[in-house]
Amino acid sequence: MSRRLLVTAALPYANGPIHIGHLVEYLQTDIWVRFQKLRGHRCLYICADDTHGTAIMIRARKEGRSELDLIAEMSESHQRDFAGFGIEFDHYGSTHSDENQAICGEFWQALRSQDLVVERIVQQLFDPEAETFLADRFVRGTCPKCGRTDQAGDNCTCGHTYAPTDLIDPISTLSGATPVLKEAPHLFVQLEKLHGFLQEWVATSGALQSETANYLQGHFLAEELRDWDVSRPAPYFGFEIPDSPGNYWYVWFDAPIGYIASTQQWCQRNGEQLADWWKSDDCEVHHFIGKDITYFHTLFWPGMLKTAGYSLPTKVHIHGFLNVNGTKMSKRDGTLVKAETFLKHVDPKALRYFYASKLSSRVEDLDLSISEFVDKVNSDLVGKVVNLASRVGKFAHRTGLSDSYPEDGGLFAKAAAQGEAIAEAYEQCEYARAMRLIMELADAANPFVEHARPWEMNKDESRQDELRDVCTVALNLFRQLAVYLAPVLPSLADSCGELLGDKLVSWDQSQTPLVGSSVGKFTRMMDRVQIEDLEKMIEESKVEAAADAEATGLATPTFQDSDQPLKDEPLADEITIDDFMKVDLRVARVITAEQVPEANKLLKLTLGLGGDETRQVFAGIKAAYDPDQLVGRMVVMVANLKPRKMRFGMSEGMVAASGPGGADVFILSVDEGALPGQRVH
RNA sequence: GGGGCUGUAGCUCAGUUGGUUAGAGCUGGGAACUCAUAAUUCCUAGGUCGCGGGUUCAAGUCCUGCCAGCCCUACCA
């Protein structure tokens, strides 16, 4: 039975380029949509740029151009990046559209008429120079708790959280001006009035993974829901609220409505009715989002939809974040790779497959390990799948396909029977499982060719029919894999369709072998991924990040440090925290320091660890330090080093210092406040 | 501190309602083959299934207590 599905991915913010972290979501969604279409369902993939808010306004101002100019450029670059990865939207809109403004008005009316909106005065920091209210992240200052300077507006590295108004010496990051406290009326949605509905929906709709439902019930639904502040005073880039001049809808109010507005634009172009997609029980609505925006899509958004009379999400699919090589992506490490940069170095097919092989239906972070990426893509896709076609391609071009499907030991039938299990895995967003099932089939296909030895048949005039049969089996098994992989690798499906002169458009094509047709000239469908390319990509990302940082002027100054020290002494093997904890580093005070006349390099130190605890240490720093200048200062020592007998006495530890030696030795210092005996963690 | 998830071969993971000698791929070792992108095929090595208790005729699988890692929270949304 054919279903009707409306699918969205979260709207990317028009404040920056698409990077590989974003792509997890757009690819996850694209794969799901392509799968649904392949299965013959009516499915729309809707997205748009999220264009409003202070950040866009500030950036446009900084770049000396209009917001419209900025968001137009961003939209274009986003769409170019998505296209580069084969992400195919049915419609890509913008939240800054007439349709969105109109539908926002409709939602607003619904909220008003159901008496869910209240006005309250809010005190907020205001930048008098930039003439704008400041969100927490635009304020920095001194932590009121511990006194650290230059801390974020809502929390300090010391762990304390506070309101930006609590900061000592607050500074606006926009202008550097000192913000002042200013009052403004804000409009709030009283979400609590929808508590009963939301409770019910979260618990029983089946739209949420159980982990998410539990989380919401434990954290938010367990108590009174707070009013949601949905307005921002001018100046603000967005839509002015019709019945509240000078106030604008908060970006998170109009962003999800953008899903509907973008659908509306598609409807207008295709002569369809919006109600058939957004107000029909026959249409499923699926949202794909990251775990960071769970809250907006599982409480506010259903509340808004309910109030305005639109369909509630059938399912909110929530995914985790992307790590690279086991750690958070970082600009500095070059692991926050822009989509555009990726495309310069690596085949997008590789990323599509790799993500698919890692994704499940759970809210779990996934890891892109560079070496795993290379191994997996090369051995699975190139070594197993593409190779299957590649190894018989030349013969098949000459022989064509047999008129009836030959005996293959049940391989095709078995793989056809697996189709439903694979489809089910796709449907459940268990792509990793789907990929595993498909690769099992690929693993069974290559031995067939191997044992049939077509290269021997090729040399024997009388065995051309046999050869054709082998090619027929191999190419049909390949074609079957191409169908199963089509949601993930549409371009491979295209290559396969072209080779066999039969376009792959339906899942059902995996169930019946293709026979009796000619085979085109084989051309390479995919190249192996080289680890060097990945390395170059990371390297280029680092350079870009440094350039960006310089351009925005916000980043830390760049230092021209030589790479010689690292070359002289490369990084040691990785250790665990346990290994590190074996080394007991302590802060110590130099109590005495004296020359050892017979020694060439050594000074004799007495280090105090507080109280009466002292250690005698011989340190090779004679050429670099005078004893007198050391007495009284704090150093870091290795305190649990096995004592060693030296010519001049026992040495009971080491003083931590860097440098090649001789006069170039630099003792580690500790910041003011450290006490002798404290351990270094 | 609270909540959740995970812990199976060197690596990435599978192990359905508890049931015969715990599996796959990659990597490693050996061999074969040459059609294919140093691809492929065959053989082989490698695991006290995090640790300790318990239930059971039987536990990787259920219960319980620890330990480790990750994620979310910490009165912000």
Side-chain angles (χ1 to χ4, degrees), chain A residues 523-539:
Chain A
T523 49
R524 217 171 235 262
M525 294 176 179
M526 182 168 182
D527 288 309
R528 304 175 77 74
V529 177
Q530 305 297 328
I531 195 152
E532 294 77 21
D533 293 335
L534 273 293
E535 284 162 358
K536 273 188 227 152
M537 174 185 87
I538 301 274
E539 204 41 53

Side-chain angles (χ1 to χ4, degrees), chain A residues 143 145-146 148 151 155-160 162:
Chain A
C143 171
K145 206 89 177 183
C146 73
R148 278 187 178 80
Q151 293 304 307
N155 73 86
C156 169
T157 46
C158 74
H160 287 284
Y162 40 76

Side-chain angles (χ1 to χ4, degrees), chain A residues 575-590:
Chain A
I575 61 167
T576 65
I577 184 82
D578 296 333
D579 293 334
F580 172 71
M581 288 309 287
K582 286 184 192 160
V583 181
D584 194 348
L585 295 171
R586 297 283 170 162
V587 174
R589 190 185 296 282
V590 179

Side-chain angles (χ1 to χ4, degrees), chain A residues 115-118 188-194 226-228:
Chain A
D115 199 24
L116 292 170
V117 181
V118 287
F188 291 79
V189 172
Q190 298 172 290
L191 213 57
E192 179 58 18
K193 289 187 174 174
L194 299 169
R226 284 164 215 211
D227 293 348
W228 181 35

Side-chain angles (χ1 to χ4, degrees), chain A residues 267-340:
Chain A
C267 286
Q268 279 155 6
R269 289 186 194 181
N270 293 277
E272 296 252 349
Q273 294 304 310
L274 184 66
D276 290 341
W277 295 93
W278 275 101
K279 291 185 175 182
S280 162
D281 289 341
D282 295 333
C283 181
E284 301 172 29
V285 175
H286 293 263
H287 295 304
F288 285 79
I289 61 166
K291 64 182 180 183
D292 51 328
I293 54 177
T294 296
Y295 182 88
F296 295 98
H297 284 80
T298 55
L299 294 178
F300 294 150
W301 182 230
M304 287 164 67
L305 289 167
K306 168 78 174 167
T307 304
Y310 283 81
S311 298
L312 290 160
T314 309
K315 200 125 199 176
V316 182
H317 306 263
I318 306 174
H319 62 78
F321 293 155
L322 177 71
N323 289 324
V324 176
N325 289 332
T327 51
K328 238 166 123 172
M329 295 183 291
S330 100
K331 282 192 175 181
R332 207 168 53 89
D333 297 340
T335 51
L336 203 147
V337 181
K338 290 182 195 170
E340 190 185 356

Side-chain angles (χ1 to χ4, degrees), chain A residues 75-216:
Chain A
S75 177
E76 199 186 316
S77 99
H78 286 176
Q79 292 187 64
R80 193 187 327 116
D81 289 341
F82 289 137
F85 281 87
I87 295 162
E88 212 169 79
F89 301 107
D90 289 278
H91 187 72
Y92 196 91
S94 164
T95 57
H96 197 69
S97 70
D98 295 343
E99 290 83 357
N100 201 33
Q101 188 160 21
I103 300 173
C104 284
E106 185 190 332
F107 270 74
W108 188 245
Q109 269 313 309
L111 291 166
R112 283 279 200 198
S113 69
Q114 291 175 47
D115 199 24
L116 292 170
V117 181
V118 287
E119 182 173 309
R120 276 211 305 273
I121 301 295
V122 170
Q123 289 208 327
Q124 207 182 353
L125 290 177
F126 180 84
D127 182 332
E129 219 161 287
E131 294 190 317
T132 179
F133 285 91
L134 297 165
D136 293 0
R137 66 178 184 285
F138 294 119
V139 185
R140 294 186 79 82
T142 302
C143 171
K145 206 89 177 183
C146 73
R148 278 187 178 80
T149 56
D150 194 33
Q151 293 304 307
D154 54 351
N155 73 86
C156 169
T157 46
C158 74
H160 287 284
T161 57
Y162 40 76
T165 45
D166 297 334
L167 282 173
I168 301 162
D169 301 329
I171 281 193
S172 163
T173 61
L174 303 182
S175 66
T178 302
V180 296
L181 209 52
K182 197 171 165 180
E183 293 189 334
H186 280 233
L187 297 161
F188 291 79
V189 172
Q190 298 172 290
L191 213 57
E192 179 58 18
K193 289 187 174 174
L194 299 169
H195 197 138
F197 156 72
L198 289 171
Q199 173 66 49
E200 170 85 13
W201 182 75
V202 165
T204 65
S205 69
L208 305 175
Q209 291 116 306
S210 60
E211 54 203 291
T212 305
N214 292 339
Y215 158 74
L216 292 171

Side-chain angles (χ1 to χ4, degrees), chain A residues 476-490:
Chain A
N476 267 294
L477 294 176
F478 168 70
R479 175 169 172 269
Q480 212 168 24
L481 296 173
V483 173
Y484 291 154
L485 285 170
V488 178
L489 302 171

